[in-house]
């Protein structure tokens, strides 16, 4: 039996994870839109036609439901029948979610099965945790002003003297303020006065600047350093210049002849999006080395990538991957965490811009 099995550990309770699996609006934010089938209880239509590894929308029927631990669906995707099982197991840190899809009738081509498994993995490890964090934030009670006196600092008083304590609170505050002022004056009186430099003594050493600061402030270093005696044999040394690190790689390998790239935003969510880049090799020889640099909007960070190795330096993310055969292509996807969900500011393969990449206004 052919199966797709994905498992992820989550730092959230089981009931919160269950809600993201069964709430129609929440499910649409991290996986796909869901539409109940009118007149058929327990029947759902999953709009998965645009997701990687899916051929069409999925007609699903709920066969078992045990809140908040098990949800099982019988699915039909254009004649291919599968069983989708979601299991939630509580752990000390939160819970563990397992999503398993088993094929009952039909086949999955190897490439389609791999892309389908990647789709599940990206949703479970990138978009689902973001939605859960958002839900957790929504459930925090920040209404401290509506609470009673127990939320304030305790005041020493007998049980039957609550009203007296409340009336005397301004007096108590004034007494405490006077005590703090008196202590402050006493401390100020005994503190030593600022030391004045003594004639002939060396001034206090300045803090040693970092490499970046030393390169940008040579005049200050020259003033603070004591003069050194020179002789006729002294040789002047040229000053060393320190270059500041740039956010984008300064020397990228040129792309192989005929190598181009295309960028598309695959999906968006509340706290980010998923981007896809297709590297095409239109040349007559395999492209052994290729480099794609995606410039994220300010504040964006990579949560993970599939199909390529990556390295982030500031806003620039450099992707490299396996050789692309002549006339072939290589596709990779990446998840971006961005509170504003802005698209990348740019994309290049070597020095050439990617098709479909436009700067964010």
């Amino acid at each position: 039996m052919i199966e797709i099995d994905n498992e992820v550990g989550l730092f959230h309770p089981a009931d919160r994870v269950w809600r993201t699996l069964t709430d129609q609006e929440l499910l649409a934010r991290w996986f796909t839109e869901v539409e109940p089938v009118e007149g058929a209880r327990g029947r759902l239509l999953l709009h998965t036609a645009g997701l990687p590894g899916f051929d069409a929308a999925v007609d699903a029927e709920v066969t078992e439901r045990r809140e908040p631990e098990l949800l099982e669906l019988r699915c039909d995707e254009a004649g291919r029948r599968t069983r989708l099982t979601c299991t939630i197991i509580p752990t000390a840190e939160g819970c563990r979610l397992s999503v398993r899809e088993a094929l009952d009738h039909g086949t999955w081509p190897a490439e389609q099965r791999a892309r389908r498994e990647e789709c599940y993995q990206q949703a479970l490890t990138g978009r689902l945790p973001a939605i859960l964090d958002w839900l957790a934030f929504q459930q925090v009670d920040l209404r401290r002003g509506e609470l009673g006196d127990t939320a304030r600092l305790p005041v020493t008083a007998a049980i039957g003297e609550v009203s007296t304590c409340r009336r005397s609170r301004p007096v108590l505050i004034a007494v405490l303020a006077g005590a703090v002022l008196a202590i402050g004056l006493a401390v100020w009186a005994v503190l030593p006065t600022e030391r004045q430099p003594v004639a002939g003594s060396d001034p206090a050493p300045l803090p040693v600047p970092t490499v970046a600061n030393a390169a940008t402030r040579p005049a200050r270093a020259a003033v603070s350093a004591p003069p050194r005696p020179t002789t006729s044999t002294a040789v002047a040394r040229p000053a060393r210049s320190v270059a500041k690190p740039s956010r984008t790689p300064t020397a990228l390998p040129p792309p192989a002849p005929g190598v181009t790239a295309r960028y598309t935003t695959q999906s968006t969510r509340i706290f980010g999006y998923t981007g896809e880049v297709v590297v095409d090799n239109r040349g007559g020889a395999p492209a052994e080395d290729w480099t794609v640099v995606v410039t994220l909007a300010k504040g964006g960070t990579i949560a993970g990538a599939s199909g390529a190795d990556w390295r982030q330096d500031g806003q620039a993310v450099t992707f490299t991957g396996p050789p692309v055969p002549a006339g072939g292509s290589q596709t990779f996807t990446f998840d971006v965490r961005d509170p504003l969900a802005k698209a990348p500011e740019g994309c290049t393969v070597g020095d050439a811009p990617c098709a479909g990449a436009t700067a964010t206004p």
Side-chain angles (χ1 to χ4, degrees):
M1 179 182 294
I2 300 178
E3 297 178 354
I4 293 177
D5 198 355
N6 288 275
E7 196 172 79
V8 61
L10 301 167
F11 295 97
H12 294 272
D15 57 345
R16 185 177 296 151
V17 178
W18 175 266
R19 183 180 170 189
T20 62
L21 294 176
T22 56
D23 186 285
Q24 178 178 342
E25 181 180 353
L26 293 177
L27 187 62
R29 291 181 178 272
W30 70 270
F31 184 58
T32 189
E33 294 184 0
V34 182
E35 179 183 351
V37 177
E38 187 176 356
R41 183 178 177 83
R43 290 280 299 279
L44 304 168
L45 184 63
L46 309 181
H47 295 279
T48 54
L51 296 180
F54 289 84
D55 291 331
V58 174
D59 186 356
E61 179 183 1
V62 179
T63 57
E64 189 171 359
R65 176 188 173 113
R66 295 202 305 268
E67 184 178 353
E69 58 187 45
L70 178 67
L71 180 66
E72 186 175 89
L73 305 173
R74 184 166 50 237
C75 304
D76 188 335
E77 180 192 357
R80 183 189 294 115
R81 293 193 292 272
T82 62
R83 284 181 291 109
L84 183 65
T85 305
C86 302
T87 307
I88 305 175
I89 302 174
T91 63
E93 297 81 11
C95 68
R96 180 164 292 276
L97 173 61
S98 172
V99 177
R100 178 173 172 268
E101 187 173 18
L103 190 63
D104 287 341
H105 177 75
T107 59
W108 274 323
E111 183 179 356
Q112 182 182 12
R113 179 182 179 277
R115 289 176 61 83
R116 196 181 187 104
E117 189 169 16
E118 289 178 6
C119 178
Y120 281 126
Q121 186 68 19
Q122 291 173 1
L124 293 174
T125 60
R127 297 186 291 273
L128 176 59
I131 292 298
L132 289 168
D133 292 343
W134 177 76
L135 276 179
F137 176 78
Q138 295 289 93
Q139 294 173 0
V140 173
D141 187 4
L142 301 177
R143 300 175 300 173
R144 288 182 60 89
E146 300 177 9
L147 301 179
D149 290 340
T150 54
R152 303 175 184 174
L153 292 175
V155 179
T156 304
I159 296 177
E161 300 176 354
V162 175
S163 59
T164 305
C165 176
R166 288 180 180 174
R167 287 195 300 270
S168 62
R169 185 172 297 154
V171 178
L172 178 60
I173 293 175
V175 172
L176 290 176
V180 171
L181 180 60
I183 294 173
L185 290 173
V187 173
W188 175 80
V190 298
L191 284 177
T193 58
E194 184 179 359
R195 295 178 59 188
Q196 300 295 331
V198 181
S201 62
D202 293 334
L206 295 175
V208 179
T210 60
V211 173
N213 290 336
T216 57
R217 294 183 293 182
R220 186 170 184 178
V223 172
S224 60
R228 294 183 179 180
T230 58
T231 64
S232 58
T233 58
V235 178
R237 296 182 179 179
R240 296 172 57 188
S241 60
V242 180
K244 293 184 178 180
S246 61
R247 293 188 170 214
T248 57
T250 55
L252 293 177
V259 174
T260 59
R262 294 169 284 138
Y263 169 81
T264 55
T265 298
Q266 196 177 79
S267 61
T268 58
R269 52 189 181 275
I270 297 177
F271 295 115
Y273 59 92
T274 299
E276 180 183 79
V277 175
V278 180
V279 180
D280 296 312
N281 182 11
R282 306 181 186 279
E288 300 291 341
D289 297 320
W290 56 267
T291 302
V292 173
V293 177
V294 176
T295 304
L296 304 180
K298 189 174 182 180
T301 57
I302 292 289
S306 176
D309 297 326
W310 62 276
R311 183 184 73 256
Q312 182 167 359
D313 180 14
Q315 294 178 235
V317 185
T318 304
F319 295 92
T320 57
V324 182
S329 63
Q330 170 69 23
T331 301
F332 65 88
T333 58
F334 55 93
D335 283 322
V336 178
R337 292 179 180 174
D338 186 347
L340 301 179
K342 290 185 178 180
E345 294 182 354
C347 172
T348 58
V349 52
D351 293 328
C354 303
T358 56
T360 304

